[in-house]
Short mmCIF file of all heavy atoms in Angstrom, two decimals:
data_model
loop_
_atom_site.label_atom_id
_atom_site.label_comp_id
_atom_site.label_asym_id
_atom_site.label_seq_id
_atom_site.Cartn_x
_atom_site.Cartn_y
_atom_site.Cartn_z
N ALA W 402 10.17 42.15 1.81
CA ALA W 402 10.62 42.96 0.67
C ALA W 402 11.20 42.03 -0.39
O ALA W 402 11.96 41.11 -0.07
CB ALA W 402 11.67 43.97 1.10
N ILE W 403 10.79 42.25 -1.61
CA ILE W 403 11.36 41.47 -2.72
C ILE W 403 12.20 42.44 -3.55
O ILE W 403 11.68 43.46 -4.03
CB ILE W 403 10.25 40.83 -3.57
CG1 ILE W 403 9.37 39.95 -2.66
CG2 ILE W 403 10.85 40.01 -4.70
CD1 ILE W 403 8.09 39.47 -3.31
N LEU W 404 13.47 42.15 -3.65
CA LEU W 404 14.38 43.07 -4.32
C LEU W 404 14.63 42.58 -5.75
O LEU W 404 15.16 41.48 -5.95
CB LEU W 404 15.71 43.17 -3.57
CG LEU W 404 15.63 43.37 -2.05
CD1 LEU W 404 17.03 43.65 -1.50
CD2 LEU W 404 14.67 44.48 -1.67
N HIS W 405 14.29 43.39 -6.71
CA HIS W 405 14.46 42.99 -8.12
C HIS W 405 15.89 43.27 -8.59
O HIS W 405 16.63 44.03 -7.98
CB HIS W 405 13.50 43.80 -9.01
CG HIS W 405 12.05 43.45 -8.82
ND1 HIS W 405 11.20 43.28 -9.87
CD2 HIS W 405 11.33 43.24 -7.70
CE1 HIS W 405 9.99 43.00 -9.41
NE2 HIS W 405 10.04 42.98 -8.09
N CYS W 406 16.22 42.66 -9.70
CA CYS W 406 17.46 42.96 -10.43
C CYS W 406 18.70 42.85 -9.55
O CYS W 406 19.63 43.63 -9.69
CB CYS W 406 17.41 44.36 -11.04
SG CYS W 406 16.10 44.57 -12.23
N THR W 407 18.73 41.87 -8.64
CA THR W 407 19.95 41.73 -7.85
C THR W 407 20.99 41.00 -8.70
O THR W 407 20.91 39.79 -8.88
CB THR W 407 19.67 40.99 -6.52
OG1 THR W 407 18.99 39.78 -6.82
CG2 THR W 407 18.80 41.84 -5.61
N GLY W 408 21.90 41.76 -9.24
CA GLY W 408 22.94 41.20 -10.12
C GLY W 408 22.60 41.35 -11.59
O GLY W 408 23.47 41.15 -12.45
N SER W 409 21.36 41.70 -11.91
CA SER W 409 20.99 41.90 -13.31
C SER W 409 20.88 43.40 -13.59
O SER W 409 20.67 44.19 -12.67
CB SER W 409 19.63 41.28 -13.63
OG SER W 409 19.59 39.95 -13.18
N ARG W 410 20.95 43.78 -14.83
CA ARG W 410 20.84 45.18 -15.26
C ARG W 410 21.74 46.05 -14.41
O ARG W 410 21.37 47.13 -13.97
CB ARG W 410 19.39 45.64 -15.16
CG ARG W 410 18.44 44.79 -15.97
CD ARG W 410 17.05 45.35 -15.93
NE ARG W 410 16.97 46.60 -16.68
CZ ARG W 410 15.97 47.47 -16.57
NH1 ARG W 410 14.99 47.25 -15.73
NH2 ARG W 410 15.96 48.57 -17.29
N ASP W 411 22.93 45.56 -14.17
CA ASP W 411 23.84 46.23 -13.25
C ASP W 411 25.25 46.16 -13.85
O ASP W 411 25.79 45.07 -14.02
CB ASP W 411 23.79 45.52 -11.88
CG ASP W 411 24.61 46.24 -10.82
OD1 ASP W 411 25.61 46.90 -11.19
OD2 ASP W 411 24.25 46.13 -9.64
N GLU W 412 25.79 47.31 -14.16
CA GLU W 412 27.13 47.39 -14.77
C GLU W 412 28.17 46.58 -13.97
O GLU W 412 29.13 46.08 -14.54
CB GLU W 412 27.60 48.85 -14.82
CG GLU W 412 26.81 49.73 -15.77
CD GLU W 412 27.25 49.57 -17.22
OE1 GLU W 412 28.36 49.07 -17.44
OE2 GLU W 412 26.44 49.94 -18.10
N ASN W 413 27.97 46.51 -12.66
CA ASN W 413 28.98 45.86 -11.83
C ASN W 413 28.87 44.34 -11.86
O ASN W 413 29.81 43.65 -11.47
CB ASN W 413 28.84 46.32 -10.38
CG ASN W 413 29.07 47.81 -10.27
OD1 ASN W 413 30.02 48.34 -10.85
ND2 ASN W 413 28.17 48.49 -9.57
N TYR W 414 27.72 43.82 -12.29
CA TYR W 414 27.55 42.36 -12.27
C TYR W 414 27.19 41.87 -13.67
O TYR W 414 28.06 41.52 -14.44
CB TYR W 414 26.54 41.96 -11.20
CG TYR W 414 26.95 42.50 -9.84
CD1 TYR W 414 26.41 43.68 -9.34
CD2 TYR W 414 27.93 41.86 -9.09
CE1 TYR W 414 26.82 44.20 -8.12
CE2 TYR W 414 28.36 42.37 -7.87
CZ TYR W 414 27.80 43.55 -7.39
OH TYR W 414 28.23 44.06 -6.20
N HIS W 415 25.92 41.91 -13.97
CA HIS W 415 25.52 41.50 -15.32
C HIS W 415 24.71 42.61 -15.94
O HIS W 415 23.78 43.13 -15.32
CB HIS W 415 24.68 40.21 -15.27
CG HIS W 415 25.44 39.06 -14.71
ND1 HIS W 415 26.55 38.52 -15.34
CD2 HIS W 415 25.26 38.33 -13.59
CE1 HIS W 415 27.01 37.52 -14.62
NE2 HIS W 415 26.26 37.39 -13.55
N ARG W 416 25.03 42.95 -17.16
CA ARG W 416 24.33 44.05 -17.80
C ARG W 416 22.94 43.65 -18.30
O ARG W 416 22.08 44.48 -18.47
CB ARG W 416 25.15 44.57 -18.99
CG ARG W 416 26.48 45.15 -18.54
CD ARG W 416 27.27 45.65 -19.70
NE ARG W 416 26.58 46.78 -20.33
CZ ARG W 416 27.15 47.58 -21.22
NH1 ARG W 416 28.39 47.38 -21.56
NH2 ARG W 416 26.48 48.56 -21.74
N TYR W 417 22.78 42.33 -18.52
CA TYR W 417 21.54 41.91 -19.14
C TYR W 417 20.40 41.81 -18.12
O TYR W 417 20.62 41.78 -16.91
CB TYR W 417 21.73 40.57 -19.84
CG TYR W 417 22.27 39.46 -18.95
CD1 TYR W 417 21.43 38.75 -18.10
CD2 TYR W 417 23.63 39.13 -18.97
CE1 TYR W 417 21.93 37.75 -17.29
CE2 TYR W 417 24.12 38.12 -18.17
CZ TYR W 417 23.27 37.43 -17.33
OH TYR W 417 23.77 36.44 -16.53
N CYS W 418 19.21 41.75 -18.64
CA CYS W 418 18.01 41.53 -17.84
C CYS W 418 17.80 40.03 -17.71
O CYS W 418 17.90 39.30 -18.69
CB CYS W 418 16.82 42.18 -18.54
SG CYS W 418 15.21 41.65 -17.90
N SER W 419 17.50 39.55 -16.51
CA SER W 419 17.32 38.11 -16.32
C SER W 419 15.93 37.63 -16.72
O SER W 419 15.64 36.43 -16.65
CB SER W 419 17.66 37.70 -14.89
OG SER W 419 19.05 37.82 -14.69
N ARG W 420 15.08 38.52 -17.09
CA ARG W 420 13.82 38.25 -17.78
C ARG W 420 12.72 37.55 -16.99
O ARG W 420 11.57 37.61 -17.40
CB ARG W 420 14.07 37.46 -19.08
CG ARG W 420 14.79 38.26 -20.13
CD ARG W 420 14.98 37.48 -21.42
NE ARG W 420 13.84 37.55 -22.30
CZ ARG W 420 13.16 36.48 -22.71
NH1 ARG W 420 13.49 35.28 -22.32
NH2 ARG W 420 12.13 36.63 -23.52
N VAL W 421 13.07 36.82 -15.95
CA VAL W 421 12.03 36.08 -15.25
C VAL W 421 11.74 36.67 -13.86
O VAL W 421 10.70 36.37 -13.26
CB VAL W 421 12.42 34.59 -15.08
CG1 VAL W 421 12.37 33.88 -16.40
CG2 VAL W 421 13.80 34.46 -14.45
N CYS W 422 12.62 37.52 -13.37
CA CYS W 422 12.54 37.91 -11.96
C CYS W 422 11.30 38.75 -11.66
O CYS W 422 10.65 38.55 -10.64
CB CYS W 422 13.80 38.66 -11.56
SG CYS W 422 15.27 38.06 -12.38
N CYS W 423 10.97 39.69 -12.54
CA CYS W 423 9.80 40.52 -12.31
C CYS W 423 8.59 39.62 -12.08
O CYS W 423 7.80 39.84 -11.17
CB CYS W 423 9.52 41.43 -13.51
SG CYS W 423 10.65 42.83 -13.59
N MET W 424 8.50 38.62 -12.93
CA MET W 424 7.30 37.79 -12.88
C MET W 424 7.27 36.88 -11.66
O MET W 424 6.25 36.73 -11.01
CB MET W 424 7.18 36.97 -14.17
CG MET W 424 6.81 37.79 -15.38
SD MET W 424 5.37 38.86 -15.10
CE MET W 424 4.11 37.66 -14.71
N TYR W 425 8.41 36.25 -11.32
CA TYR W 425 8.33 35.39 -10.13
C TYR W 425 8.27 36.23 -8.87
O TYR W 425 7.73 35.80 -7.85
CB TYR W 425 9.39 34.28 -10.13
CG TYR W 425 10.83 34.64 -9.86
CD1 TYR W 425 11.25 35.15 -8.64
CD2 TYR W 425 11.82 34.39 -10.81
CE1 TYR W 425 12.58 35.42 -8.39
CE2 TYR W 425 13.15 34.66 -10.58
CZ TYR W 425 13.53 35.17 -9.37
OH TYR W 425 14.85 35.44 -9.13
N ALA W 426 8.79 37.46 -8.93
CA ALA W 426 8.65 38.36 -7.78
C ALA W 426 7.17 38.66 -7.54
O ALA W 426 6.69 38.69 -6.41
CB ALA W 426 9.44 39.65 -8.01
N LEU W 427 6.43 38.85 -8.62
CA LEU W 427 4.99 39.06 -8.49
C LEU W 427 4.32 37.81 -7.94
O LEU W 427 3.43 37.87 -7.09
CB LEU W 427 4.38 39.41 -9.86
CG LEU W 427 4.72 40.78 -10.43
CD1 LEU W 427 4.12 40.91 -11.82
CD2 LEU W 427 4.19 41.89 -9.53
N LYS W 428 4.81 36.66 -8.44
CA LYS W 428 4.26 35.39 -7.97
C LYS W 428 4.49 35.25 -6.47
O LYS W 428 3.57 34.87 -5.73
CB LYS W 428 4.94 34.24 -8.73
CG LYS W 428 4.54 32.85 -8.27
CD LYS W 428 5.35 31.76 -8.97
CE LYS W 428 6.72 31.57 -8.31
NZ LYS W 428 7.50 30.49 -8.95
N TYR W 429 5.69 35.58 -6.01
CA TYR W 429 5.98 35.48 -4.58
C TYR W 429 5.03 36.38 -3.79
O TYR W 429 4.49 36.00 -2.75
CB TYR W 429 7.42 35.90 -4.27
CG TYR W 429 8.49 34.97 -4.81
CD1 TYR W 429 9.83 35.34 -4.81
CD2 TYR W 429 8.18 33.70 -5.28
CE1 TYR W 429 10.81 34.50 -5.29
CE2 TYR W 429 9.15 32.85 -5.78
CZ TYR W 429 10.48 33.26 -5.79
OH TYR W 429 11.44 32.44 -6.27
#
Side-chain angles (χ1 to χ4, degrees):
Chain W
I403 303 169
L404 313 188
H405 291 224
C406 298
T407 52
S409 310
R410 303 185 70 197
D411 185 331
E412 293 279 342
N413 298 314
Y414 304 97
H415 298 295
R416 296 180 66 166
Y417 55 81
C418 166
S419 290
R420 292 182 85 239
V421 289
C422 326
C423 284
M424 288 310 299
Y425 72 65
L427 290 176
K428 175 185 82 178
Y429 292 169

